[in-house]
Amino acid sequence: MTDSAPALGPDRPQRLRQSEAVRRLARETRLHPASFILPLFVKAGEGVRDEIASMPGVFQLSVDEAVREAREAAGLGVGGVLLFGIPEHKDAEGSAADDDAEAVQRATRAIKDAVPDLAVITDVCLCEYTDHGHCGFITTDGALDLEGSLPRHVAAAVSHARAGADLVAPSSMIDGVVGAIRSGLDAAGFPHVGIFSYAVKYASAFYGPFRDAANSAPAFGDRRTHQMDPANAREALREAALDVEQGADLLMVKPALAYLDVIRQTKAAFPDRPLGAYHVSGEYAMLKAAAERGWADERRAALEVLTSIRRAGADLVITYYAAQAARWLRDGA
Ligand code: PBG
């Protein structure tokens, strides 16, 4: 080489990065609020907003406040809300789960009434409703009886459908729960209510803050006998296939960031099913904690994570950042 400029080939990727105008044209993955789903925790009372210590900006809400948040999210273009209930009364069978007067059912009716165009999805599980915090029953000798609790899951799903839920989302990872709920909904006259299955849900350390939020930490033991081993990806496809066979309309992978490969493989194997990924409480808490310490630029870090989840293949992202991210996008991120 002489003192003239080095010989560069004609293919210079940097040309597409010279201005935001051109970067925007070249962008492969776009975030849109319609692909975000906002989880809301609902409970009894009025005017209640109890902030969750490990999830700054996330609250346990009374139904009126949940309607307010849902309306705001809808105004920002957010696609849907996912409702979790915190009952006043917990017992061994999770009796409150299918009570039409419980917070989730009341919030579903109120949100569908106030913002009919916003999708309302309800979480179907017993762990928020049982006093021992497990997703099913405990037998007299202390063992977990998950299958025995399937009729309770079906009753909860039917109660949510009666309240007007667009989709129900079984999250307990019990074999056969999707099929049981599908038959139960059809038999109860709700063939049009869809199932958003937590098909691929790992036994993750990232659910901790959620369990504070929903007061649903297991009193003893853990969920490793029914939630998936974080080491397994091939098994994810088996879980997803079973749920599709049983009538799942949408699939979910959960958590999101530590499972981007699983999101990619699940989308490739089931391209015709909308795929959601749940950016869970611990993932949210990590970003919040780093931002509070000034160790990360929250807006850039959160949008980068959400983009990576979409880039991996998720059509929908369930995230506590849904409204905030929609606001950031509106204001020009
Ligand atoms: C209930 C349920 C959990 C989450 C969603 N549904 C907790 C669990 O399985 O222990 C976690 C969500 C989050 O961490 O944001 N079965």
Side-chain angles (χ1 to χ4, degrees):
M1 216 33 75
T2 63
D3 55 358
S4 61
L8 289 162
D11 194 6
R12 296 286 311 275
Q14 290 178 5
R15 285 189 205 110
L16 294 180
R17 300 177 199 142
Q18 295 310 303
S19 65
E20 180 53 20
V22 175
R23 286 193 293 274
R24 203 185 298 124
L25 290 180
R27 195 154 290 147
E28 298 175 26
T29 306
R30 296 180 197 283
L31 287 180
H32 193 280
S35 53
F36 298 149
I37 294 168
L38 177 68
L40 295 174
F41 299 97
V42 295
K43 65 177 181 183
E46 241 191 272
V48 180
R49 299 179 66 81
D50 292 338
E51 192 164 23
I52 297 146
S54 49
M55 301 176 75
V58 180
F59 300 80
Q60 295 181 341
L61 303 164
S62 52
V63 170
D64 56 324
E65 291 291 328
V67 169
R68 207 216 300 232
E69 295 236 349
R71 195 178 266 130
E72 198 190 340
L76 288 160
V78 167
V81 289
L82 173 60
L83 303 182
F84 294 94
I86 301 149
E88 286 183 287
H89 170 73
K90 300 191 186 214
D91 59 26
E93 283 80 40
S95 306
D98 63 331
D99 183 339
D100 288 347
E102 264 299 329
V104 162
Q105 287 83 345
R106 286 188 292 112
T108 300
R109 285 192 290 272
I111 294 170
K112 286 311 299 182
D113 209 39
V115 257
D117 274 351
L118 182 70
V120 172
I121 307 159
T122 55
D123 185 84
V124 178
C125 190
L126 298 187
C127 66
E128 295 114 71
Y129 297 92
T130 52
D131 51 12
H132 45 71
H134 280 290
C135 308
F137 297 161
I138 307 294
T139 62
T140 41
D141 33 325
L144 200 52
D145 176 18
L146 293 171
E147 279 70 22
S149 73
L150 283 177
R152 302 277 314 122
H153 283 75
V154 173
V158 168
S159 168
H160 296 173
R162 200 156 43 231
D166 297 293
L167 303 170
V168 296
S171 67
S172 50
M173 285 298 280
I174 304 176
D175 291 343
V177 70
V178 171
I181 289 178
R182 184 68 273 155
S183 322
L185 287 173
D186 292 351
F190 299 106
H192 55 281
V193 172
I195 299 180
F196 193 165
S197 166
Y198 286 72
V200 181
K201 176 172 172 180
Y202 289 91
S204 171
F206 291 104
Y207 305 150
F210 172 94
R211 294 177 188 171
D212 292 344
N215 309 326
S216 66
F220 58 90
D222 56 39
R223 308 209 206 287
R224 279 183 287 187
T225 52
H226 45 296
Q227 298 182 349
M228 285 179 57
D229 184 333
N232 294 357
R234 292 191 296 269
E235 192 186 351
L237 302 184
R238 183 167 162 222
E239 281 285 359
L242 282 168
D243 283 11
V244 167
E245 265 168 42
Q246 290 171 44
D249 301 285
L250 307 89
L251 299 172
M252 192 194 305
V253 172
K254 173 187 173 187
L257 194 52
Y259 299 90
L260 294 179
D261 57 326
V262 178
I263 293 173
R264 165 54 54 111
Q265 291 180 56
T266 305
K267 188 66 212 177
F270 300 93
D272 60 343
R273 301 288 149 152
L275 179 65
Y278 199 144
H279 181 241
V280 301
S281 59
E283 301 179 77
Y284 175 84
M286 282 197 304
L287 284 167
K288 281 284 174 189
E292 266 179 16
R293 286 164 178 72
W295 293 349
D297 174 332
E298 185 181 13
R299 182 179 66 83
R300 286 191 56 201
L303 292 175
E304 185 174 332
V305 168
L306 296 176
T307 300
S308 75
I309 296 167
R310 291 271 296 114
R311 194 192 62 235
D315 304 296
L316 303 167
V317 187
I318 299 154
T319 173
Y320 303 96
Y321 271 114
Q324 181 61 61
R327 227 175 272 122
W328 282 327
L329 294 173
R330 181 195 61 191
D331 299 341

